[in-house]
Amino acid sequence: MSGRTTRASQPTEDEIKELILKLQALLPQLNHRPNTKASASTILEETCSYIKRLHKEVGDLSQRLSQLLHDSAEFVEVDEELITRLLSNIN
């Protein structure tokens, strides 16, 4: 895949490499070793796993917040349904 023969809508190899390096920098399990090169497939697999973990964490935190709002007398005036809807829009 040469940069000269690709269509304008397709990223060049250099652009893909740059994006892979940016992803690696965002991954906690890989960014503590900045001079270590991981393969692109490893970085993409780790990115998918990390996003799945973050989605689960958001869901767990949303559920916990909903439970706290439901159980807490301090938040009686807060519209629990509205907060739950807003939190589901984040996912």
Side-chain angles (χ1 to χ4, degrees):
M1 179 161 128
S2 167
R4 290 175 284 166
T5 59
T6 59
R7 293 182 302 194
S9 63
Q10 294 178 335
T12 65
E13 286 183 40
D14 288 340
E15 290 171 330
I16 291 171
K17 288 177 186 176
E18 177 81 20
L19 291 170
I20 294 293
L21 289 174
K22 286 180 181 181
L23 277 176
Q24 182 177 4
L26 294 172
L27 298 171
Q29 62 272 35
L30 295 178
N31 74 1
H32 67 282
R33 302 173 287 177
N35 295 329
T36 304
K37 284 201 169 193
S39 70
S41 63
T42 298
I43 293 170
L44 292 173
E45 287 172 6
E46 289 294 330
T47 300
C48 290
S49 296
Y50 186 56
I51 290 171
K52 287 177 186 176
R53 285 193 304 273
L54 289 176
H55 273 283
K56 182 181 180 333
E57 188 174 336
V58 166
D60 293 347
L61 290 171
S62 296
Q63 185 177 20
R64 177 74 176 129
L65 178 60
S66 180
Q67 187 63 44
L68 286 171
L69 289 172
H70 184 267
D71 293 345
S72 176
E74 293 178 18
F75 296 105
V76 171
E77 294 181 11
V78 175
D79 186 351
E80 183 179 343
E81 183 179 318
L82 174 63
I83 291 174
T84 303
R85 250 191 350 242
L86 290 171
L87 290 172
S88 5
N89 288 335
I90 294 171
N91 296 331

